Amino acid sequence: MTTPSRRHIDCRPLRALLAVFVLTFSGVALSQNDNRFHIDLVVFANNEQASLYEEDWPDNLHLRYPRNWTRISSSASSPQKVDYMDPEFAQTLRSLRLSSRYKLLLQTSWQQDLTARKKSPAILIQGGKQSGNHYELEGYIRVAVERYLHLDTNLWLSSFGNRGGNYYLPRQPLSFDEPEEESGFVDESFESSPEYAEFLKQNPGYSPQRSQTQAQSGDSPIDRIVVMKQERRMRSNELHFIDHPRFGVIIKVSKISAEQASGEENAAQ
């Protein structure tokens, strides 16, 4: 009696298909992390009194927030706040803390999937001491990547007091609106302009006679607002310093490799 021979199965096509499957999905994972960056940011004020009188700061600023905005948070969404700090940045931060010339307003680190400038959301900023409904430091920044990294700052440093100048600070948005491309910060004096109309829409309590309005709304009188509106092209893994007579920004943006992202995910599990 002859036993039936086992039928030979050629597994090579199956292995080839499996290899294509693995490469395809590993490529997807890599592309998802391709624009993931680690960002360290510190904003500090200049304590030297002489800097207060170096320039005449304009008033009647029509400040507003763009529609396409986001916040740094501890959730898994981008941008995601992290505890890790780049060693070079940490050393610079220690030097700032030891100097009586500077006052730290904000220090934060986060990870973010960067996009092109037109699609990049504005990251809302608050820092320093709170006075009424506002903080010393408010405004927003944008970090984007194209051929180079790009940083746009629209930061507002306010001095609160009893005198009250011709200033008004908009409230930070509390809920997400439909994303829309915006030009961001607007300093426009023509009351018939679309920018001014949008400003009034976002700030229905605004009035040129703000002393009474602020007293009713709980906002503190503002003696001065200094604006840092700059655009900077940057390189990754380098410290960048944004200078201004009244306050400054130090930022470092570092690329996160797929291996780093995978290691962080495994550590979190």
Side-chain angles (χ1 to χ4, degrees):
M1 180 175 179
T2 60
T3 56
S5 60
R6 294 183 180 179
R7 186 179 179 183
H8 177 69
I9 300 177
D10 189 356
C11 296
R12 286 177 295 179
L14 182 60
R15 292 194 186 100
L17 182 61
L18 181 61
V20 171
F21 179 83
V22 171
L23 287 175
T24 300
F25 281 87
S26 63
V28 170
L30 179 60
S31 64
Q32 289 177 342
N33 292 314
D34 195 42
N35 284 337
R36 190 76 173 176
F37 287 81
H38 175 90
I39 304 170
D40 292 301
L41 173 76
V42 60
V43 185
F44 57 92
N46 187 349
N47 283 332
E48 292 186 344
Q49 292 298 312
S51 65
L52 293 172
Y53 310 103
E54 289 183 0
E55 297 185 27
D56 293 327
W57 309 110
D59 57 7
N60 199 27
L61 302 169
H62 299 152
L63 308 175
R64 66 186 177 100
Y65 291 96
R67 292 180 184 270
N68 183 17
W69 59 270
T70 187
R71 297 182 187 275
I72 301 171
S73 67
S74 57
S75 66
S77 61
S78 178
Q80 181 182 9
K81 185 176 178 61
V82 294
D83 294 330
Y84 170 78
M85 192 183 305
D86 176 85
E88 182 186 21
F89 179 87
Q91 179 60 44
T92 303
L93 181 63
R94 284 192 288 269
S95 299
L96 281 174
R97 292 184 184 277
L98 293 174
S99 175
S100 60
R101 180 179 178 181
Y102 305 111
K103 172 187 175 181
L104 264 63
L105 300 171
L106 171 73
Q107 185 278 312
T108 185
S109 300
W110 72 96
Q111 292 182 4
Q112 183 178 357
D113 295 320
L114 299 185
T115 60
R117 299 180 77 182
K118 288 186 177 181
K119 296 182 179 180
S120 178
I123 301 174
L124 304 189
I125 296 295
Q126 282 184 332
K129 291 183 179 179
Q130 184 175 4
S131 183
N133 295 312
H134 292 282
Y135 290 79
E136 288 179 89
L137 176 69
E138 293 185 339
Y140 58 93
I141 68 170
R142 279 192 175 97
V143 186
V145 63
E146 291 175 346
R147 185 177 179 182
Y148 293 91
L149 292 167
H150 296 270
L151 172 68
D152 298 338
T153 64
N154 289 281
L155 300 175
W156 317 325
L157 180 63
S158 301
S159 299
F160 302 97
N162 298 320
R163 176 170 56 86
N166 188 25
Y167 296 105
Y168 181 84
L169 279 172
R171 302 286 181 87
Q172 283 202 350
L174 299 177
S175 61
F176 288 98
D177 199 354
E178 189 70 23
E180 178 178 304
E181 182 178 340
E182 292 274 338
S183 59
F185 171 83
V186 173
D187 183 4
E188 174 62 63
S189 60
F190 301 103
E191 295 187 1
S192 60
S193 68
E195 289 82 4
Y196 187 71
E198 180 66 22
F199 168 80
L200 293 178
K201 180 181 177 181
Q202 293 187 18
N203 301 278
Y206 174 78
S207 169
Q209 307 296 328
R210 268 186 329 285
S211 299
Q212 183 177 358
T213 303
Q214 289 172 340
Q216 293 175 352
S217 65
D219 290 348
S220 300
I222 303 171
D223 290 342
R224 182 185 296 105
I225 298 178
V226 179
V227 175
M228 178 191 290
K229 181 177 185 294
Q230 295 194 29
E231 298 178 0
R232 178 68 60 89
R233 192 175 71 179
M234 305 184 297
R235 292 183 180 274
S236 62
N237 302 313
E238 292 184 4
L239 280 174
H240 291 268
F241 174 55
I242 314 298
D243 195 12
H244 187 281
R246 289 294 296 124
F247 62 127
V249 169
I250 297 177
I251 186 170
K252 184 172 183 177
V253 183
S254 306
K255 184 70 176 292
I256 298 178
S257 66
E259 291 77 9
Q260 287 175 312
S262 176
E264 291 173 0
E265 291 178 0
N266 294 334
Q269 293 177 355

